[in-house]
Amino acid sequence: MKKITILIPCYNEEKGIGKVIDNIPTTELKKIGYDTEILVVDNNSKDKTSEVAKNHGARVIFEGKQGKTFALKTGFKNAKGSYIVTIDGDNTYPAQEISKLVKAINGNDLVVGSRFDTIWKISKLFYPKELVFRRVFANKVGAEMGSIILGKRITDVTTGLRLFKKDLLSRIPEIKAKGLDFEAELTARVISNGLNYKEVKIETNFREGHSSLQYFRDAFRFLWAMIRGRFF
């Protein structure tokens, strides 16, 4: 059996983390050859995130340096699996969708769950409905700019649902992001280094809890992360 670590970085996600853990398709993954480890990295939560995660069967570790990237990197170091899935703890990404990514990993270095199967099709301009429109619009603009910067069509720059072999991180230049821009830089570094990138269409849920995303400030951060990942 191959081992896969489901890595969940968390900051104040007591409302969503239990649902994420409970919906991880461990039985289905086992049927296709994967043992599953569930690893939660608590990034200085002020609520009961860690307690809820432990009660739902996750292994919990802590990262004191604030920022999603620091939480992820701590998780990478402590992951026991040779494959890593990253997923947010707010239940935006249905954990059941992990199996779609696992089935698509063969021959690919990075598989991401895309919330958008198209960028500008009029009939789907407001989709997914589970996301506020300003977030949908910002993501689609970011995907269009990212496609130009990277020379490859991408539809979702910032998705937090991703799968890759653990050794991928040693085959690309060090990621310099410090916060929510980790995903954008990872995509850029994988594509710009000629590695195989694949998107899989996924469904979405309404977010549990409060989002710390600031659309306009973070939009520039994501753009810079793609430029940094492509050229620096």
Side-chain angles (χ1 to χ4, degrees), residues 189-204:
R189 293 203 180 278
V190 166
I191 293 174
S192 62
N193 281 276
L195 302 178
N196 293 323
Y197 168 89
K198 183 177 178 62
E199 295 182 345
V200 175
K201 177 66 175 67
I202 60 169
E203 302 302 319
T204 57

Side-chain angles (χ1 to χ4, degrees), residues 61-116:
I61 60 176
F62 297 88
E63 170 52 51
K65 198 167 186 179
Q66 198 66 44
K68 185 177 184 180
T69 297
F70 298 117
L72 285 169
K73 287 185 175 180
T74 294
F76 297 149
K77 291 176 183 177
N78 286 273
K80 297 177 181 178
S82 55
Y83 291 83
I84 294 177
V85 168
T86 63
I87 186 170
D88 292 346
D90 59 12
N91 201 39
T92 298
Y93 307 94
Q96 302 96 317
E97 299 286 62
I98 290 171
S99 58
K100 289 183 180 179
L101 276 64
V102 173
K103 292 173 182 177
I105 189 60
N106 289 337
N108 293 297
D109 297 289
L110 173 64
V111 179
V112 306
S114 175
R115 295 162 290 181
F116 314 103

Side-chain angles (χ1 to χ4, degrees), residues 154-166:
I154 53 178
T155 63
D156 196 344
V157 175
T158 62
T159 175
L161 181 56
R162 293 165 177 257
L163 168 63
F164 49 90
K165 283 187 176 181
K166 189 175 182 180

Side-chain angles (χ1 to χ4, degrees), residues 105-163:
I105 189 60
N106 289 337
N108 293 297
D109 297 289
L110 173 64
V111 179
V112 306
S114 175
R115 295 162 290 181
F116 314 103
D117 55 358
T118 181
I119 297 183
W120 297 118
K121 189 175 181 180
I122 297 298
S123 63
K124 294 188 176 183
L125 186 60
F126 294 92
Y127 283 81
K129 292 182 178 179
E130 292 81 4
L131 301 179
V132 295
F133 178 68
R134 64 181 181 275
R135 185 169 184 175
V136 172
F137 184 77
N139 271 280
K140 290 186 175 185
V141 170
E144 191 68 52
M145 298 180 71
S147 298
I148 295 170
I149 293 168
L150 301 175
K152 181 179 178 65
R153 170 56 69 189
I154 53 178
T155 63
D156 196 344
V157 175
T158 62
T159 175
L161 181 56
R162 293 165 177 257
L163 168 63

